[in-house]
Amino acid sequence: MLSLDGTGYFSSQQVHCAQCAEKHHRNGTTTYYHQMLGAVLVHPDHREVFALTPEPILKPDGSKKNDCERNAAKRLLTDLRRAHPHLKLIVVEDALASNAPHIRHLQELDLRFILGAKQSDHTLLFDWVEASAQTAEATVTDQQGFRHRFRYLNGAPLNDANFDLEVNFLEYWEHAPDGSVTTLPG
């Protein structure tokens, strides 16, 4: 599995360079910052992870527009696939990545993926899963009394604008014996 996520590693209101991203505040001040997209190879049976070279999220020379995590992911994944065309990977990313252009890019690179999704960002997808007769649910209670509930559907449309782009949906809830509930959406 290849786990990707963005992170900040520098921020200042005084120190800056030409490649710094900028955040302009209402009070007239500017925060200069640097970010990167980290990538690590992980395996569920091993505690060790292998960090790959991070992809910087920089403002290109002469540009007034900030770079972003989406563009960095596109560069990183394209470079990785070019260097390792036959490596079988499952890309794992947060909800920022669950958009049609990114999913299509992953498919073009022949990469499998597990992406987070928020109900507020994917109303049609969650409504489709709720209304579909093909949606399946399963519940398992473990020896410690935790109840694990799953809801899943294959071939659901991502959203109205990309109705032809179908995804497989999995939602998970963990019900603890004390009554607390943890949810892993989409």
Side-chain angles (χ1 to χ4, degrees):
M1 297 180 91
L2 177 67
S3 182
L4 301 177
D5 201 5
T7 187
Y9 61 92
F10 172 80
S11 178
S12 174
Q13 290 192 335
Q14 283 104 22
V15 178
H16 59 92
C17 69
Q19 285 78 38
C20 278
E22 299 177 14
K23 184 180 288 184
H24 300 278
H25 304 284
R26 290 182 187 174
N27 66 3
T29 62
T30 301
T31 300
Y32 303 95
Y33 61 96
H34 282 273
Q35 295 179 309
M36 67 176 181
L37 181 68
V40 293
L41 292 172
V42 298
H43 190 283
D45 295 336
H46 300 283
R47 296 174 59 118
E48 301 82 14
V49 301
F50 292 96
L52 303 181
T53 302
E55 180 66 31
I57 302 172
L58 300 173
K59 185 168 59 175
D61 286 337
S63 177
K64 296 200 180 294
K65 187 175 179 183
N66 291 335
D67 192 9
C68 65
E69 188 174 321
R70 287 181 181 178
N71 290 338
K74 191 174 191 177
R75 293 189 303 268
L76 186 144
L77 292 169
T78 299
D79 290 347
L80 179 67
R81 184 46 88 205
R82 186 180 317 112
H84 303 283
H86 304 293
L87 185 61
K88 294 181 180 181
L89 291 169
I90 300 171
V91 177
V92 180
E93 296 181 85
D94 61 20
L96 181 64
S98 59
N99 62 78
H102 185 66
I103 291 171
R104 286 196 169 100
H105 187 241
L106 290 166
Q107 291 171 334
E108 288 168 11
L109 296 173
D110 193 27
L111 293 167
R112 306 302 179 260
F113 50 90
I114 300 171
L115 307 176
K118 295 180 182 177
Q119 188 166 2
S120 59
D121 295 337
H122 292 84
T123 306
L124 174 81
L125 175 61
F126 279 79
D127 289 348
W128 191 275
V129 170
E130 185 69 36
S132 176
Q134 286 76 38
T135 299
E137 292 196 28
T139 302
V140 176
T141 303
D142 65 25
Q143 293 179 346
Q144 291 79 29
F146 287 86
R147 189 167 47 103
H148 306 275
R149 182 174 158 228
F150 303 88
R151 180 168 72 156
Y152 53 96
L153 175 66
N154 292 337
L158 180 66
N159 56 35
D160 288 326
N162 298 279
F163 199 80
D164 62 319
L165 182 57
E166 293 183 347
V167 295
N168 297 334
F169 179 94
L170 171 66
E171 193 168 21
Y172 167 76
W173 297 267
E174 178 186 81
H175 299 266
D178 67 4
S180 62
V181 178
T182 302
T183 302
L184 177 65

